[in-house]
Amino acid sequence: MSQNTDGAPQGSINLASLSVPQLRALQTRLTSELEHLTTSHTKLRAAQAKFRDCVRSINDGVTGNAKKGTDGRDEILVPLTSSLYVKGRLTDREKVLVDVGTGFYVEKTAPKAVAFYDEKVKGLDANLQELEKIVQTKSSQLRIVEETLRQKMLSEGAPQAAAG
Amino acid sequence: MDAQKQLQARSEEFQALQTELEVLVDARQKLESQQQENEGVQTEFAQLDDESNIYKLVGPVLLKQDKSEATMAVNGRLEFIEKEIKRIEGEISATQEKSEKMRSELIQLQSQAQQQAAAASASE
């Protein structure tokens, strides 16, 4: 696919008309943009995993899961630090406190909390899909720029080599 | 030589302006993410019934808060953030204008310096 058959929008420039340094600058810019987008992607994925963990914790730990043997048993190990636990007892298996952002916590029933987290996961999914689309167009742009740059270098290198 | 020195001083100024612009854009981005977080909290509060318990994290403790109080706090924050964004955007456009002016000045100085250099080498 060449850049001319792309159905390029108005106001776009023909890449072949750019000089080698200009193409190089474009390449570095696209690369750094792509890097930024991929890190955002990873961060979004991590956030999504965290919310999914919350849902799992509620289902297994708070509501209780008969299959996993957590149903009807109130004993729990509470982490005080990442390596220190104390025994505890669940006194309320109905309600949980959910961090809704900016330091506010809201008391919710377990199903409502699960719905809240599911909503968050869904929202992140939409964001991820949008981001993936952008990453795809950017990387195809980068490929085209790199290809043009390579051709330029080859065609510019040839006469010099012939002259020298 | 004089043009050279002037050029250098000018380009240093231009660099400083660019970093200033970067700082402003960063601040703008931070405000934007804060705005989004607060908006999320606002919509969450809007869905709650009046008797739901809301706690605010103050240091290491959770303090119980009235829904109306919490909503007011969030609304106030959003208002403040909006104002801040407007202010910073004004600063950004002002800095952009300045740096645009300086860029054209720089180009002028550059061509002047080149002409001087060319004249100097021609007279040698």
Side-chain angles (χ1 to χ4, degrees):
Chain A
M1 188 164 60
S2 95
Q3 63 274 14
N4 293 329
T5 57
D6 245 4
Q10 281 193 335
S12 64
I13 342 163
N14 189 0
L15 276 179
S17 68
L18 292 177
S19 66
V20 171
Q22 277 173 323
L23 280 171
R24 270 207 202 290
L26 196 57
Q27 186 191 19
T28 28
R29 222 185 75 192
L30 278 173
T31 316
S32 71
E33 265 178 40
L34 211 57
E35 229 167 80
H36 179 75
L37 288 172
T38 358
T39 28
S40 308
H41 191 270
T42 335
K43 273 190 202 155
L44 281 182
R45 275 240 174 279
Q48 212 180 21
K50 227 166 67 186
F51 287 138
R52 288 215 173 99
D53 267 351
C54 289
V55 174
R56 226 190 35 229
S57 298
I58 292 174
N59 284 336
D60 292 352
V62 182
T63 326
N65 184 331
K67 246 190 231 158
K68 295 198 172 154
T70 50
D71 197 18
R73 296 180 59 184
D74 292 340
E75 295 92 1
I76 192 170
L77 285 171
V78 186
L80 291 184
T81 72
S82 58
S83 57
L84 178 66
Y85 293 80
V86 288
K87 267 195 185 167
R89 197 173 290 277
L90 282 169
T91 55
D92 188 353
R93 306 192 78 148
E94 305 290 317
K95 283 183 174 150
V96 286
L97 280 177
V98 177
D99 183 358
V100 294
T102 64
F104 282 112
Y105 286 72
V106 175
E107 198 175 69
K108 284 176 178 290
T109 58
K112 277 220 175 122
V114 170
F116 172 82
Y117 285 125
D118 278 342
E119 201 55 46
K120 289 258 176 204
V121 170
K122 233 168 62 191
L124 283 176
D125 244 339
N127 279 338
L128 274 167
Q129 266 168 22
E130 225 166 278
L131 195 60
E132 264 161 36
K133 260 190 231 152
I134 298 172
V135 166
Q136 266 170 15
T137 42
K138 284 272 175 212
S139 50
S140 75
Q141 274 172 1
L142 183 62
R143 259 206 312 281
I144 292 166
V145 168
E146 274 169 353
E147 179 62 23
T148 325
L149 185 62
R150 207 171 55 84
Q151 278 172 2
K152 266 262 152 104
M153 301 258 278
L154 279 178
S155 63
E156 273 179 23
Q160 266 171 21
Chain B
M1 211 50 217
D2 203 30
Q4 277 289 336
K5 255 186 202 158
Q6 214 183 342
L7 186 65
Q8 201 170 2
R10 274 309 199 176
S11 74
E12 263 161 33
E13 261 177 71
F14 182 67
Q15 283 293 327
L17 215 56
Q18 287 293 314
T19 29
E20 203 182 302
L21 195 63
E22 243 167 74
V23 171
L24 283 174
V25 171
D26 270 354
R28 166 83 172 75
Q29 260 166 4
K30 224 188 225 163
L31 280 171
E32 174 106 34
S33 67
Q34 279 175 352
Q35 189 183 34
Q36 268 179 9
E37 197 180 352
N38 276 292
E39 270 169 3
V41 178
Q42 195 181 36
T43 47
E44 188 55 36
F45 281 170
Q47 288 166 11
L48 293 175
D49 26 345
D50 283 329
E51 59 266 30
S52 19
N53 292 324
I54 295 174
Y55 299 85
K56 168 123 190 59
L57 188 68
V58 182
V61 279
L62 286 173
L63 291 180
K64 200 166 171 186
Q65 253 194 343
D66 257 9
K67 193 195 165 197
S68 58
E69 216 176 305
T71 328
M72 237 161 57
V74 173
N75 287 347
R77 255 191 254 167
L78 273 170
E79 230 169 81
F80 173 76
I81 289 169
E82 231 164 89
K83 262 189 222 148
E84 275 295 289
I85 285 181
K86 271 208 192 111
R87 187 180 67 83
I88 292 225
E89 255 173 9
E91 270 185 60
I92 285 177
S93 57
T95 319
Q96 261 170 346
E97 223 171 273
K98 250 205 273 181
S99 83
E100 221 25 73
K101 244 188 233 161
M102 204 168 272
R103 193 201 297 275
S104 50
E105 237 176 275
L106 261 178
I107 291 170
Q108 237 178 352
L109 275 173
Q110 218 161 13
S111 65
Q112 258 174 31
Q114 268 166 6
Q115 271 170 8
Q116 270 188 6
S121 68
S123 65
E124 259 175 37

